[in-house]
Amino acid sequence: MTFPKALIQQSVEHAKKKNRKRRRDKTRRVKTEIDSPESNAARKETVPTKTEIDNLESNAARKETVPTTTEIDSLESNAARKETVPTKMEIDDLESNAARKLQQEYQSTLGDPIADFERLLHSAAPFIISSWTNKNQQLDGSLHQTQLPKISIQDVWKWYEAPGNYGLEVKARDSPNPNGFPAKSTPFSAYFIPYLSAVQFFGYPQLSYVGGKNKVDTDPELIFEFFESEPPHERKPLHLKIRDLINISTSNVKVFGDPSKLESMNLHDLHPSSWFAVAWYPIYRIPQGKFQAAFLTYHSFNQYIVYSIPIDSLSKTFQMIFFPVIGLQSYRTENECWFDLRAPVESSSEETTSSTTSEILIERSRAQEERCRTLNRNSMVLSTRSVTKDQVSRVNYHRDYEFFINARLIFPASHLTLY
Protein backbone atom coordinates (compact mmCIF):
# COMPACT_ATOMS: atom_id res chain seq x y z
CA MET A 1 0.00 0.00 0.00
CA THR A 2 1.36 3.36 -1.02
CA PHE A 3 0.71 6.58 1.05
CA PRO A 4 0.30 9.85 -0.72
CA LYS A 5 3.36 12.09 -0.53
CA ALA A 6 1.34 15.01 0.81
CA LEU A 7 0.13 12.90 3.77
CA ILE A 8 3.66 11.84 4.67
CA GLN A 9 4.85 15.44 4.60
CA GLN A 10 1.98 16.49 6.83
CA SER A 11 2.80 13.78 9.41
CA VAL A 12 6.45 14.88 9.58
CA GLU A 13 5.49 18.52 10.11
CA HIS A 14 3.10 17.53 12.88
CA ALA A 15 5.84 15.52 14.69
CA LYS A 16 8.27 18.46 14.49
CA LYS A 17 5.72 20.85 16.04
CA LYS A 18 5.01 18.40 18.80
CA ASN A 19 8.74 18.09 19.65
CA ARG A 20 9.21 21.88 19.60
CA LYS A 21 6.30 22.33 21.99
CA ARG A 22 7.68 19.69 24.32
CA ARG A 23 11.06 21.49 24.44
CA ARG A 24 9.40 24.90 25.11
CA ASP A 25 7.36 23.44 27.97
CA LYS A 26 10.47 21.92 29.50
CA THR A 27 12.41 25.20 29.23
CA ARG A 28 9.50 27.15 30.77
CA ARG A 29 9.26 24.66 33.66
CA VAL A 30 13.01 24.93 34.46
CA LYS A 31 12.92 28.74 34.34
CA THR A 32 9.97 28.77 36.70
CA GLU A 33 11.84 26.56 39.18
CA ILE A 34 14.88 28.83 38.99
CA ASP A 35 12.88 32.00 39.56
CA SER A 36 10.89 30.60 42.49
CA PRO A 37 11.50 32.09 46.12
CA GLU A 38 12.52 28.69 47.46
CA SER A 39 15.17 28.38 44.78
CA ASN A 40 16.44 31.89 45.42
CA ALA A 41 16.71 31.21 49.18
CA ALA A 42 18.58 27.99 48.63
CA ARG A 43 20.89 29.72 46.20
CA LYS A 44 21.46 32.56 48.68
CA GLU A 45 22.49 30.05 51.37
CA THR A 46 24.89 28.14 49.22
CA VAL A 47 26.26 30.62 46.72
CA PRO A 48 27.54 33.86 48.36
CA THR A 49 27.56 37.08 46.43
CA LYS A 50 30.82 38.84 45.54
CA THR A 51 30.30 41.32 48.39
CA GLU A 52 29.75 38.46 50.82
CA ILE A 53 32.86 36.71 49.55
CA ASP A 54 34.91 39.91 50.04
CA ASN A 55 33.55 40.30 53.60
CA LEU A 56 34.37 36.68 54.49
CA GLU A 57 37.92 37.03 53.17
CA SER A 58 38.40 40.30 55.06
CA ASN A 59 37.14 38.78 58.33
CA ALA A 60 39.42 35.77 57.90
CA ALA A 61 42.41 38.06 57.38
CA ARG A 62 41.55 40.11 60.48
CA LYS A 63 41.13 36.94 62.52
CA GLU A 64 44.67 35.91 61.59
CA THR A 65 46.30 39.26 62.38
CA VAL A 66 44.21 41.00 65.09
CA PRO A 67 44.48 39.32 68.56
CA THR A 68 41.50 39.00 70.84
CA THR A 69 41.26 40.85 74.18
CA THR A 70 42.48 37.74 75.97
CA GLU A 71 45.43 37.46 73.60
CA ILE A 72 46.25 41.15 74.07
CA ASP A 73 46.19 40.76 77.89
CA SER A 74 48.41 37.70 77.63
CA LEU A 75 50.90 39.51 75.40
CA GLU A 76 51.02 42.49 77.78
CA SER A 77 51.48 40.19 80.77
CA ASN A 78 54.32 38.34 79.06
CA ALA A 79 55.97 41.63 78.16
CA ALA A 80 55.71 42.81 81.77
CA ARG A 81 57.19 39.58 83.07
CA LYS A 82 60.01 39.82 80.58
CA GLU A 83 60.85 43.22 81.99
CA THR A 84 60.65 42.20 85.70
CA VAL A 85 61.95 38.59 85.83
CA PRO A 86 65.75 38.62 86.23
CA THR A 87 68.04 36.38 84.24
CA LYS A 88 69.91 33.47 85.81
CA MET A 89 73.05 35.60 86.07
CA GLU A 90 71.09 38.35 87.82
CA ILE A 91 69.53 35.80 90.19
CA ASP A 92 72.98 34.41 91.04
CA ASP A 93 74.26 37.93 91.73
CA LEU A 94 71.27 38.72 93.96
CA GLU A 95 71.68 35.51 95.92
CA SER A 96 75.44 36.01 96.26
CA ASN A 97 74.94 39.59 97.49
CA ALA A 98 72.33 38.38 99.97
CA ALA A 99 74.73 35.77 101.35
CA ARG A 100 77.53 38.34 101.70
CA LYS A 101 75.20 40.80 103.40
CA LEU A 102 74.07 38.13 105.85
CA GLN A 103 77.66 37.25 106.71
CA GLN A 104 78.53 40.93 107.21
CA GLU A 105 75.52 41.34 109.47
CA TYR A 106 76.59 38.29 111.47
CA GLN A 107 80.17 39.59 111.77
CA SER A 108 78.86 42.93 113.03
CA THR A 109 77.14 41.18 115.95
CA LEU A 110 80.56 40.56 117.53
CA GLY A 111 80.66 44.22 118.49
CA ASP A 112 83.36 45.01 121.04
CA PRO A 113 84.78 41.67 122.27
CA ILE A 114 85.98 41.35 125.85
CA ALA A 115 88.97 39.27 124.72
CA ASP A 116 90.20 37.61 121.55
CA PHE A 117 88.81 34.19 122.51
CA GLU A 118 85.40 35.66 121.65
CA ARG A 119 86.66 36.30 118.12
CA LEU A 120 87.49 32.61 117.89
CA LEU A 121 84.02 31.62 119.15
CA HIS A 122 82.48 33.91 116.58
CA SER A 123 84.57 32.57 113.67
CA ALA A 124 84.24 28.91 114.67
CA ALA A 125 80.41 28.87 114.52
CA PRO A 126 79.27 26.96 111.39
CA PHE A 127 76.38 28.37 109.40
CA ILE A 128 74.03 27.40 106.57
CA ILE A 129 72.60 29.72 103.93
CA SER A 130 68.99 28.81 103.07
CA SER A 131 66.02 30.49 101.38
CA TRP A 132 62.22 30.55 101.56
CA THR A 133 59.99 31.18 98.56
CA ASN A 134 57.47 32.86 100.88
CA LYS A 135 59.06 36.23 101.61
CA ASN A 136 56.56 36.92 104.40
CA GLN A 137 57.91 34.02 106.47
CA GLN A 138 60.33 35.37 109.06
CA LEU A 139 62.50 33.31 111.38
CA ASP A 140 64.32 33.97 114.61
CA GLY A 141 66.36 31.93 117.04
CA SER A 142 63.34 31.24 119.26
CA LEU A 143 61.50 29.22 116.63
CA HIS A 144 61.34 25.44 116.79
CA GLN A 145 63.28 23.30 114.34
CA THR A 146 60.13 22.20 112.53
CA GLN A 147 59.72 25.80 111.30
CA LEU A 148 63.10 25.71 109.62
CA PRO A 149 63.50 24.59 106.01
CA LYS A 150 64.45 20.94 105.56
CA ILE A 151 68.20 21.01 106.21
CA SER A 152 70.50 18.01 105.95
CA ILE A 153 73.24 17.37 108.48
CA GLN A 154 75.55 17.27 105.47
CA ASP A 155 75.07 21.02 105.07
CA VAL A 156 76.61 21.53 108.50
CA TRP A 157 79.62 19.32 107.73
CA LYS A 158 80.08 21.04 104.38
CA TRP A 159 80.87 24.33 106.14
CA TYR A 160 84.05 22.75 107.53
CA GLU A 161 85.51 22.03 104.08
CA ALA A 162 87.02 25.51 103.62
CA PRO A 163 88.71 25.73 107.05
CA GLY A 164 89.71 22.07 106.70
CA ASN A 165 91.55 22.83 103.45
CA TYR A 166 92.88 26.35 104.09
CA GLY A 167 92.55 26.92 107.82
CA LEU A 168 90.05 29.01 109.78
CA GLU A 169 91.22 32.61 110.00
CA VAL A 170 90.78 34.36 113.35
CA LYS A 171 91.85 37.98 113.62
CA ALA A 172 93.41 38.86 116.96
CA ARG A 173 95.84 41.31 118.56
CA ASP A 174 99.06 40.66 120.45
CA SER A 175 99.20 42.19 123.90
CA PRO A 176 102.66 43.08 125.21
CA ASN A 177 101.35 43.48 128.75
CA PRO A 178 102.03 40.22 130.65
CA ASN A 179 99.38 40.88 133.32
CA GLY A 180 96.57 40.74 130.81
CA PHE A 181 95.48 44.36 131.05
CA PRO A 182 95.06 46.40 127.88
CA ALA A 183 97.99 48.00 126.13
CA LYS A 184 98.94 48.87 122.60
CA SER A 185 98.88 45.72 120.54
CA THR A 186 99.79 44.37 117.11
CA PRO A 187 97.11 42.77 114.93
CA PHE A 188 97.67 39.31 113.45
CA SER A 189 95.73 36.48 111.79
CA ALA A 190 95.76 33.01 113.33
CA TYR A 191 94.80 29.90 111.34
CA PHE A 192 93.33 26.69 112.78
CA ILE A 193 92.39 23.29 111.29
CA PRO A 194 89.13 21.66 112.53
CA TYR A 195 89.02 17.99 113.60
CA LEU A 196 85.93 16.05 114.63
CA SER A 197 86.25 15.36 118.34
CA ALA A 198 82.88 13.88 119.28
CA VAL A 199 79.30 13.59 118.04
CA GLN A 200 76.12 12.15 119.54
CA PHE A 201 72.82 11.92 117.67
CA PHE A 202 69.64 11.36 119.65
CA GLY A 203 66.22 10.54 118.24
CA TYR A 204 62.85 11.47 119.67
CA PRO A 205 61.37 9.09 122.28
CA GLN A 206 59.30 6.19 120.99
CA LEU A 207 55.56 6.00 121.72
CA SER A 208 54.74 2.72 123.45
CA TYR A 209 51.46 1.07 124.52
CA VAL A 210 51.47 0.10 128.20
CA GLY A 211 48.48 -0.91 130.33
CA GLY A 212 45.97 0.24 127.76
CA LYS A 213 47.49 3.73 127.55
CA ASN A 214 50.03 5.41 125.32
CA LYS A 215 53.28 6.15 127.11
CA VAL A 216 56.19 8.27 125.87
CA ASP A 217 59.68 7.30 126.99
CA THR A 218 61.27 10.16 128.89
CA ASP A 219 64.84 9.59 127.66
CA PRO A 220 65.82 10.32 124.06
CA GLU A 221 67.15 7.41 122.04
CA LEU A 222 70.88 7.37 121.21
CA ILE A 223 71.09 6.49 117.51
CA PHE A 224 74.73 7.33 116.72
CA GLU A 225 77.91 8.12 118.64
CA PHE A 226 81.57 8.71 117.89
CA PHE A 227 84.43 9.87 120.13
CA GLU A 228 87.83 10.45 118.53
CA SER A 229 90.71 8.48 120.06
CA GLU A 230 93.54 9.09 117.56
CA PRO A 231 96.33 11.55 118.49
CA PRO A 232 96.02 14.97 116.80
CA HIS A 233 98.90 14.49 114.36
CA GLU A 234 97.24 11.33 112.95
CA ARG A 235 93.78 12.81 112.41
CA LYS A 236 92.13 13.96 109.19
CA PRO A 237 90.29 17.29 108.91
CA LEU A 238 86.65 17.12 109.95
CA HIS A 239 85.04 16.91 106.52
CA LEU A 240 87.34 14.03 105.52
CA LYS A 241 86.76 12.24 108.83
CA ILE A 242 83.00 12.43 108.28
CA ARG A 243 83.49 10.84 104.87
CA ASP A 244 85.55 8.01 106.35
CA LEU A 245 83.03 7.35 109.12
CA ILE A 246 80.14 7.12 106.64
CA ASN A 247 81.96 4.38 104.77
CA ILE A 248 82.97 2.23 107.73
CA SER A 249 81.04 -0.83 108.90
CA THR A 250 78.35 -0.55 111.52
CA SER A 251 80.23 -3.20 113.50
CA ASN A 252 83.27 -0.97 113.94
CA VAL A 253 84.11 -0.68 117.63
CA LYS A 254 84.90 3.04 117.31
CA VAL A 255 81.28 3.97 116.62
CA PHE A 256 77.89 3.21 118.10
CA GLY A 257 74.92 2.98 115.76
CA ASP A 258 74.65 3.48 112.02
CA PRO A 259 77.37 5.79 110.55
CA SER A 260 75.14 6.57 107.55
CA LYS A 261 73.17 8.82 109.90
CA LEU A 262 75.98 11.35 109.46
CA GLU A 263 74.69 12.10 105.97
CA SER A 264 71.07 10.94 105.97
CA MET A 265 69.71 12.79 109.01
CA ASN A 266 67.91 16.14 108.86
CA LEU A 267 67.82 18.72 111.61
CA HIS A 268 64.12 17.96 112.07
CA ASP A 269 64.95 14.35 112.90
CA LEU A 270 67.34 15.15 115.74
CA HIS A 271 66.39 15.45 119.38
CA PRO A 272 67.56 18.70 121.07
CA SER A 273 70.05 16.64 123.10
CA SER A 274 72.15 16.03 119.96
CA TRP A 275 75.55 17.73 119.88
CA PHE A 276 79.07 17.62 118.45
CA ALA A 277 82.52 18.91 119.40
CA VAL A 278 85.36 20.20 117.22
CA ALA A 279 89.06 20.32 118.11
CA TRP A 280 90.87 23.32 116.58
CA TYR A 281 94.64 22.94 116.29
CA PRO A 282 97.00 25.74 115.16
CA ILE A 283 98.88 25.66 111.85
CA TYR A 284 100.38 29.16 111.35
CA ARG A 285 99.89 32.86 111.97
CA ILE A 286 100.61 36.03 109.98
CA PRO A 287 102.87 37.76 110.88
CA GLN A 288 104.89 35.08 112.60
CA GLY A 289 104.91 34.93 116.36
CA LYS A 290 104.16 32.67 119.30
CA PHE A 291 101.19 30.52 118.39
CA GLN A 292 100.44 27.11 119.90
CA ALA A 293 96.98 27.48 121.45
CA ALA A 294 94.36 24.80 120.76
CA PHE A 295 90.62 24.92 121.43
CA LEU A 296 87.73 22.49 121.83
CA THR A 297 84.36 23.95 120.81
CA TYR A 298 80.93 22.43 121.49
CA HIS A 299 77.80 22.93 119.37
CA SER A 300 74.14 21.94 119.75
CA PHE A 301 71.89 21.12 116.81
CA ASN A 302 68.99 22.66 118.73
CA GLN A 303 70.51 26.03 119.63
CA TYR A 304 70.81 28.21 116.56
CA ILE A 305 70.44 31.85 115.56
CA VAL A 306 68.85 33.00 112.31
CA TYR A 307 69.50 36.17 110.36
CA SER A 308 67.17 36.87 107.43
CA ILE A 309 67.12 39.25 104.46
CA PRO A 310 64.29 39.50 101.88
CA ILE A 311 64.85 39.87 98.13
CA ASP A 312 61.61 41.31 96.75
CA SER A 313 62.56 40.85 93.11
CA LEU A 314 62.91 37.08 93.70
CA SER A 315 60.01 36.79 96.18
CA LYS A 316 62.40 35.00 98.51
CA THR A 317 63.79 35.48 101.97
CA PHE A 318 67.35 34.30 102.60
CA GLN A 319 68.40 33.08 106.03
CA MET A 320 71.76 32.40 107.60
CA ILE A 321 71.29 29.74 110.27
CA PHE A 322 74.38 29.41 112.45
CA PHE A 323 75.19 27.20 115.40
CA PRO A 324 77.06 29.17 118.08
CA VAL A 325 79.69 27.75 120.41
CA ILE A 326 77.98 26.70 123.65
CA GLY A 327 80.97 25.06 125.33
CA LEU A 328 84.74 25.62 125.28
CA GLN A 329 88.00 24.15 126.51
CA SER A 330 91.47 25.44 125.63
CA TYR A 331 95.06 24.27 125.82
CA ARG A 332 98.45 26.05 125.77
CA THR A 333 96.98 29.55 125.85
CA GLU A 334 99.44 30.79 128.46
CA ASN A 335 101.49 33.82 127.38
CA GLU A 336 99.20 34.32 124.38
CA CYS A 337 96.56 36.99 123.97
CA TRP A 338 93.37 34.90 123.79
CA PHE A 339 92.10 35.68 127.30
CA ASP A 340 93.73 39.09 127.80
CA LEU A 341 91.14 41.76 128.53
CA ARG A 342 90.60 44.29 125.76
CA ALA A 343 89.97 47.95 126.46
CA PRO A 344 86.50 49.03 125.28
CA VAL A 345 86.37 51.18 122.18
CA GLU A 346 84.95 54.16 124.08
CA SER A 347 87.91 54.16 126.49
CA SER A 348 90.12 55.60 123.76
CA SER A 349 88.13 58.83 123.82
CA GLU A 350 89.79 61.84 125.45
CA GLU A 351 86.67 62.39 127.57
CA THR A 352 87.08 58.99 129.25
CA THR A 353 88.79 59.30 132.61
CA SER A 354 91.13 56.74 134.10
CA SER A 355 88.60 55.93 136.84
CA THR A 356 85.91 55.28 134.28
CA THR A 357 88.23 53.01 132.32
CA SER A 358 89.09 51.11 135.49
CA GLU A 359 85.42 50.58 136.29
CA ILE A 360 84.77 49.34 132.78
CA LEU A 361 87.68 46.90 132.97
CA ILE A 362 86.45 45.49 136.28
CA GLU A 363 83.01 44.98 134.82
CA ARG A 364 84.44 43.33 131.71
CA SER A 365 86.61 41.07 133.85
CA ARG A 366 83.54 39.88 135.75
CA ALA A 367 81.66 39.33 132.50
CA GLN A 368 84.55 37.30 131.09
CA GLU A 369 84.79 35.16 134.19
CA GLU A 370 81.09 34.34 134.04
CA ARG A 371 81.32 33.69 130.32
CA CYS A 372 84.22 31.26 130.78
CA ARG A 373 82.48 29.53 133.66
CA THR A 374 79.36 28.94 131.55
CA LEU A 375 81.36 27.60 128.60
CA ASN A 376 83.30 25.29 130.87
CA ARG A 377 80.16 23.98 132.59
CA ASN A 378 78.43 23.25 129.28
CA SER A 379 81.42 21.33 127.95
CA MET A 380 81.55 19.26 131.13
CA VAL A 381 77.83 18.44 130.98
CA LEU A 382 78.05 17.19 127.39
CA SER A 383 81.33 15.30 127.70
CA THR A 384 80.45 13.50 130.94
CA ARG A 385 76.71 12.96 130.55
CA SER A 386 75.07 9.60 131.19
CA VAL A 387 73.39 7.97 128.18
CA THR A 388 71.60 4.69 127.58
CA LYS A 389 73.22 2.28 125.13
CA ASP A 390 71.58 -1.06 124.47
CA GLN A 391 69.36 -0.52 127.53
CA VAL A 392 72.42 0.06 129.75
CA SER A 393 73.18 3.45 131.28
CA ARG A 394 76.78 4.57 130.72
CA VAL A 395 78.80 7.75 131.23
CA ASN A 396 80.45 9.33 128.19
CA TYR A 397 84.20 9.08 127.87
CA HIS A 398 85.36 12.03 125.78
CA ARG A 399 89.09 11.58 125.29
CA ASP A 400 89.80 15.12 124.05
CA TYR A 401 87.93 16.63 126.97
CA GLU A 402 89.90 14.53 129.45
CA PHE A 403 93.16 15.55 127.77
CA PHE A 404 92.38 19.27 127.94
CA ILE A 405 91.29 19.00 131.56
CA ASN A 406 94.28 16.90 132.65
CA ALA A 407 96.59 19.45 131.07
CA ARG A 408 95.57 21.73 133.98
CA LEU A 409 94.07 24.33 131.68
CA ILE A 410 93.88 27.83 133.16
CA PHE A 411 91.96 30.77 131.73
CA PRO A 412 94.60 33.52 132.18
CA ALA A 413 92.25 36.49 132.39
CA SER A 414 90.10 35.09 135.17
CA HIS A 415 92.64 32.70 136.73
CA LEU A 416 89.88 30.10 136.65
CA THR A 417 91.22 26.55 136.79
CA LEU A 418 89.05 24.30 134.65
CA TYR A 419 89.19 20.79 136.07
Side-chain angles (χ1 to χ4, degrees):
M1 179 176 179
T2 305
F3 293 97
K5 185 177 180 180
L7 183 58
I8 294 173
Q9 183 67 29
Q10 185 180 359
S11 297
V12 171
E13 290 295 331
H14 179 73
K16 288 181 178 180
K17 288 181 181 180
K18 189 175 181 180
N19 289 336
R20 283 197 296 270
K21 184 177 183 302
R22 188 184 294 111
R23 285 197 297 270
R24 282 197 302 271
D25 291 341
K26 184 177 181 181
T27 300
R28 190 179 298 112
R29 187 169 55 254
V30 172
K31 186 175 184 303
T32 301
E33 290 176 355
I34 293 174
D35 293 339
S36 67
E38 293 81 359
S39 177
N40 290 336
R43 192 165 58 250
K44 187 173 182 180
E45 290 179 2
T46 58
V47 182
T49 64
K50 183 178 185 304
T51 301
E52 290 173 333
I53 292 173
D54 292 340
N55 289 337
L56 289 171
E57 291 177 349
S58 178
N59 290 336
R62 281 200 304 273
K63 188 173 182 180
E64 292 179 359
T65 59
V66 179
T68 64
T69 302
T70 303
E71 292 172 332
I72 292 174
D73 292 341
S74 178
L75 289 171
E76 291 177 348
S77 176
N78 291 335
R81 282 199 300 273
K82 189 174 182 180
E83 293 178 359
T84 59
V85 176
T87 63
K88 183 181 185 302
M89 182 178 296
E90 292 171 334
I91 291 175
D92 292 341
D93 288 341
L94 288 170
E95 293 181 349
S96 178
N97 291 335
R100 282 196 299 270
K101 188 172 181 180
L102 283 170
Q103 294 184 44
Q104 292 172 359
E105 183 177 345
Y106 166 62
Q107 292 297 330
S108 67
T109 62
L110 179 59
D112 185 17
I114 295 176
D116 284 336
F117 83 95
E118 289 195 328
R119 297 183 184 275
L120 175 113
L121 302 185
H122 205 67
S123 300
F127 62 83
I128 299 169
I129 299 294
S130 183
S131 65
W132 289 83
T133 54
N134 180 5
K135 64 180 179 180
N136 296 321
Q137 177 71 42
Q138 298 295 327
L139 295 177
D140 58 57
S142 64
L143 295 183
H144 191 267
Q145 284 182 341
T146 55
Q147 294 173 280
L148 287 174
K150 190 174 183 179
I151 296 175
S152 171
I153 292 298
Q154 280 188 306
D155 294 331
V156 179
W157 308 138
K158 187 177 180 180
W159 181 86
Y160 287 95
E161 290 184 8
N165 290 325
Y166 311 109
L168 176 73
E169 181 184 20
V170 180
K171 295 183 180 297
R173 301 184 71 89
D174 275 325
S175 177
N177 197 326
N179 60 17
F181 284 92
K184 290 183 178 180
S185 56
T186 303
F188 69 93
S189 293
Y191 293 85
F192 298 85
I193 292 292
Y195 300 92
L196 182 63
S197 177
V199 58
Q200 283 188 320
F201 287 168
F202 293 90
Y204 283 91
Q206 297 294 325
L207 187 65
S208 57
Y209 192 74
V210 179
K213 295 182 179 179
N214 290 331
K215 180 182 178 181
V216 178
D217 295 335
T218 57
D219 296 328
E221 177 189 6
L222 179 64
I223 56 180
F224 179 76
E225 172 188 273
F226 169 76
F227 288 98
E228 181 60 88
S229 59
E230 299 292 337
H233 65 276
E234 295 182 7
R235 300 182 186 181
K236 293 183 179 180
L238 187 147
H239 67 287
L240 298 179
K241 185 66 176 183
I242 292 292
R243 189 182 307 168
D244 288 349
L245 289 174
I246 292 173
N247 294 326
I248 68 174
S249 170
T250 57
S251 61
N252 192 295
V253 295
K254 294 184 178 181
V255 300
F256 173 86
D258 184 3
S260 67
K261 300 293 184 182
L262 288 168
E263 65 175 347
S264 63
M265 298 288 287
N266 293 317
L267 288 182
H268 294 168
D269 303 326
L270 293 176
H271 188 273
S273 299
S274 303
W275 64 282
F276 68 100
V278 181
W280 299 89
Y281 285 95
I283 49 175
Y284 62 91
R285 57 164 276 177
I286 300 174
Q288 291 184 354
K290 184 175 182 180
F291 180 44
Q292 54 183 354
F295 296 91
L296 188 61
T297 62
Y298 293 72
H299 309 264
S300 168
F301 290 108
N302 184 57
Q303 297 185 29
Y304 52 83
I305 300 177
V306 180
Y307 289 95
S308 62
I309 177 174
I311 301 181
D312 293 334
S313 57
L314 296 182
S315 297
K316 286 185 177 181
T317 295
F318 281 76
Q319 290 89 27
M320 184 173 71
I321 307 164
F322 75 94
F323 304 85
V325 176
I326 63 171
L328 178 71
Q329 291 293 334
S330 61
Y331 172 58
R332 294 187 301 191
T333 58
E334 297 83 354
N335 300 322
E336 294 190 24
C337 64
W338 300 103
F339 294 95
D340 291 349
L341 282 176
R342 292 298 175 196
V345 175
E346 60 268 18
S347 68
S348 61
S349 172
E350 295 180 356
E351 300 178 357
T352 305
T353 64
S354 58
S355 61
T356 303
T357 301
S358 178
E359 291 175 1
I360 294 175
L361 289 175
I362 292 174
E363 183 63 29
R364 288 167 75 88
S365 178
R366 291 173 179 170
Q368 179 177 349
E369 183 173 349
E370 179 59 31
R371 178 93 160 112
C372 292
R373 183 179 291 107
T374 300
L375 291 169
N376 175 61
R377 182 173 58 249
N378 290 344
S379 65
M380 179 183 65
V381 169
L382 293 174
S383 292
T384 62
R385 71 187 302 177
S386 178
V387 299
T388 301
K389 303 178 186 178
D390 298 327
Q391 299 181 348
V392 177
S393 180
R394 302 174 183 177
V395 176
N396 286 339
Y397 178 73
H398 187 183
R399 189 179 184 118
D400 282 347
Y401 173 80
E402 297 296 331
F403 172 79
F404 276 68
I405 292 299
N406 292 333
R408 298 180 62 86
L409 176 65
I410 298 178
F411 281 95
S414 63
H415 302 285
L416 178 64
T417 302
L418 300 181
Y419 64 92

